[in-house]
Amino acid sequence: MLGNLAIGAAAGGGYSTLLILVVFLGLMYFLMLRPQQKQQKKHKDMMSQLKKGDHVITISRLHGVIDEINQADQTVTLDCDGIYLVFDLRAIAQVTSQAPQAVTAPVSADTPAENTDESASDEPAEKTDDESAK
């Protein structure tokens, strides 16, 4: 009789062990794998939006400006104060600022240009000797 109770307890223990294992794997997924997948997706989106003129930081913490992106070779050329370096696209860690967008205001043809006194003051008051000799 005591042996039958031991066998029943062992069989019930199998289900609880399986349940603990499933809960452990679920926690591991939500605490480790899912955040990593979100981070990878965010990085992939950032990489797809790279363009010339973006200020970036590489994984080795080198700061530069994107000069050229070669999608065929998966490389990027960075301008680091006049020194051009070629890196693998995967070496870009983050974009610090986007390239400035050119904002142009539409110019209406019916509005006459204003002639102010400030435009007249932009000219030099006196001619130098070099200019008068011409």
Side-chain angles (χ1 to χ4, degrees), residues 72-126:
D73 294 337
Q74 294 291 307
T75 60
V76 62
T77 303
L78 297 183
D79 178 9
C80 303
D81 292 332
I83 300 171
Y84 293 89
L85 303 170
V86 179
F87 287 95
D88 200 34
L89 268 175
R90 293 175 290 178
I92 303 298
Q94 69 184 43
V95 177
T96 56
S97 65
Q98 298 290 328
Q101 298 292 328
V103 178
T104 57
V107 178
S108 176
D110 346 332
T111 5
E114 295 182 20
N115 188 4
T116 62
D117 293 333
E118 293 175 0
S119 62
S121 66
D122 289 341
E123 297 177 11
E126 298 179 34

Side-chain angles (χ1 to χ4, degrees), residues 6-133:
I7 292 173
Y15 290 120
S16 64
T17 305
L18 182 63
L19 181 64
I20 290 173
L21 184 62
V22 168
V23 168
F24 178 73
L25 290 175
L27 282 174
M28 191 169 76
Y29 173 76
F30 282 106
L31 294 176
M32 293 175 62
L33 299 176
R34 191 163 182 248
Q36 184 179 8
Q37 289 172 346
K38 282 184 175 182
Q39 185 180 11
Q40 286 174 344
K41 184 179 183 287
K42 183 180 174 184
H43 190 263
K44 185 178 178 181
D45 291 342
M46 178 196 68
M47 297 301 287
S48 67
Q49 295 175 356
L50 286 178
K51 59 188 171 296
K52 184 176 179 176
D54 285 348
H55 293 266
V56 296
I57 301 175
T58 65
I59 54 176
S60 61
R61 301 297 174 227
L62 180 76
H63 295 243
V65 179
I66 295 178
D67 185 60
E68 177 185 349
I69 299 174
N70 187 344
Q71 293 292 344
D73 294 337
Q74 294 291 307
T75 60
V76 62
T77 303
L78 297 183
D79 178 9
C80 303
D81 292 332
I83 300 171
Y84 293 89
L85 303 170
V86 179
F87 287 95
D88 200 34
L89 268 175
R90 293 175 290 178
I92 303 298
Q94 69 184 43
V95 177
T96 56
S97 65
Q98 298 290 328
Q101 298 292 328
V103 178
T104 57
V107 178
S108 176
D110 346 332
T111 5
E114 295 182 20
N115 188 4
T116 62
D117 293 333
E118 293 175 0
S119 62
S121 66
D122 289 341
E123 297 177 11
E126 298 179 34
K127 289 187 176 184
T128 60
D129 292 334
D130 294 336
E131 291 176 350
S132 60

